[in-house]
Amino acid sequence: QGILARATVAQAVQVQTISAMKQAAETHPSESGAQPQRLILDDGETVEVWPEQWGISMAQCKDFLAECRSDKAWSEGYTLRDVVDKYVVPWTAGKGVGYALHMNRGHPLEVNIMVSHAWDENAGEFFDALERTVMDSDVMFICALSLYQCQDGCGP
């Protein structure tokens, strides 16, 4: 019964999240020039998700870096540009959403911190600096992970 209750709560949260996304899409000002990413839900419906919900947590950043480092081809000399080219683009190609939204498609995270980076800075040092400076509860917009990087016509 406890498992069923947890599943029901999780489903309710997902329904509330999807409702919130739909409401945000209906009320978001389109004249700003920003483009939404479009999530395709399990039922085939498409929902627009705006940049303020393209967030990623520190825990997810740690998992992302660990996954990259588990690759035999990984180099500690990789820049953020390398990480995007070698990992983010292949993992998100054809999906139309950035890595952060892809990872949080069932429950997009509301951003409370905008993180700036240089494309040619060392990726490991960048994520280490994040870990030292943000709180676990923070949700970040990081261009390398939040924007759709593929340039394949599937996303904004």
Side-chain angles (χ1 to χ4, degrees), residues 1-154:
Q1 197 173 25
I3 293 171
L4 180 57
R6 280 193 297 268
T8 304
V9 169
Q11 290 169 340
V13 168
Q14 186 170 11
V15 167
Q16 289 173 346
T17 300
I18 291 168
S19 295
M21 285 189 297
K22 289 178 184 176
Q23 184 179 10
E26 291 169 2
T27 60
H28 205 283
S30 59
E31 59 272 357
S32 68
Q35 295 287 317
Q37 293 182 29
R38 290 174 176 83
L39 276 178
I40 299 173
L41 305 176
D42 292 339
D43 64 3
E45 183 179 0
T46 301
V47 177
E48 292 181 342
V49 182
W50 291 89
E52 55 268 23
Q53 291 184 309
W54 300 351
I56 190 164
S57 69
M58 190 64 235
Q60 289 173 317
C61 286
K62 289 178 193 177
D63 291 345
F64 170 79
L65 186 58
E67 183 70 22
C68 293
R69 284 180 166 156
S70 72
D71 181 9
K72 292 177 186 174
W74 172 260
S75 168
E76 288 299 328
Y78 277 172
T79 64
L80 283 173
R81 183 184 316 276
D82 296 324
V83 168
V84 166
D85 291 343
K86 296 174 189 314
Y87 302 100
V88 173
V89 168
W91 292 346
T92 60
K95 293 179 174 54
V97 297
Y99 179 82
L101 187 54
H102 175 65
M103 295 306 296
N104 297 304
R105 61 191 167 277
H107 186 71
L109 301 179
E110 187 83 21
V111 173
N112 72 315
I113 293 186
M114 169 68 183
V115 178
S116 183
H117 64 78
W119 286 105
D120 291 326
E121 74 181 291
N122 181 278
E125 291 175 9
F126 170 78
F127 287 107
D128 288 346
L130 281 182
E131 193 170 0
R132 288 190 308 270
T133 56
V134 301
M135 297 175 17
D136 289 339
S137 60
D138 286 328
V139 177
M140 300 165 284
F141 182 104
I142 303 169
C143 292
L145 302 177
S146 296
L147 297 175
Y148 187 59
Q149 300 289 346
C150 295
Q151 305 294 319
D152 60 5
C154 292

